[in-house]
Amino acid sequence: VMVPIQQQQQQQQSGSQNICHGYDSNKDFSREPNIHQVCEYFIKPVTLRAGGMSYALMLHPEGLECNIFATHCWAEGVIEFCTKCLDAWPKGRRHLWCCFLANPQNADIS
């Protein structure tokens, strides 16, 4: 689950921190962190300190009903992913499900 689209847009306008803070759709995406790196160095430490839940549940413990599903490549840049999602966001939809945000990344899946 990503941040609801209205909240994401408000954060971008206000300059608040979030995983896609400061994205620029005209940006050269070749130098940004990929989703592996964002999970390892941001999502895992933050969610582990909060109790080990997913990033989405950390932000919204009550959960959100999702009406969009996104798939991605783990080597894809996170800002590029967010930009593509926001650029293609269907009108009237509010919440997106995405595995790296919706699944607890600290879980032992071995």
Side-chain angles (χ1 to χ4, degrees):
V1 179
M2 286 182 67
V3 176
I5 187 67
Q6 294 87 355
Q7 186 178 349
Q8 180 77 19
Q9 290 167 338
Q10 289 169 345
Q11 288 172 337
Q12 288 166 1
Q13 291 168 358
S14 71
S16 299
Q17 290 294 326
N18 62 61
I19 65 166
C20 296
H21 174 69
Y23 88 96
D24 178 355
S25 61
N26 297 314
K27 173 182 186 326
D28 171 13
F29 295 117
S30 64
R31 298 178 48 120
E32 67 182 279
N34 65 40
I35 294 172
H36 279 294
Q37 293 166 322
V38 169
C39 282
E40 191 63 32
Y41 299 108
F42 178 72
I43 293 174
K44 282 184 172 184
V46 167
T47 57
L48 188 60
R49 282 192 302 270
M53 74 292 287
S54 72
Y55 187 75
L57 284 177
M58 183 185 76
L59 294 181
H60 302 279
E62 71 288 356
L64 296 170
E65 185 176 332
C66 295
N67 47 27
I68 303 171
F69 175 87
T71 188
H72 64 88
C73 170
W74 282 86
E76 179 178 20
V78 72
I79 297 170
E80 180 180 10
F81 173 77
C82 291
T83 299
K84 287 178 180 179
C85 287
L86 292 172
D87 288 348
W89 200 277
K91 194 173 205 145
R93 303 303 172 120
R94 295 190 43 141
H95 307 123
L96 178 142
W97 188 97
C98 180
C99 66
F100 76 93
L101 300 171
N103 294 331
Q105 294 300 319
N106 290 297
D108 181 4
I109 59 170
S110 59

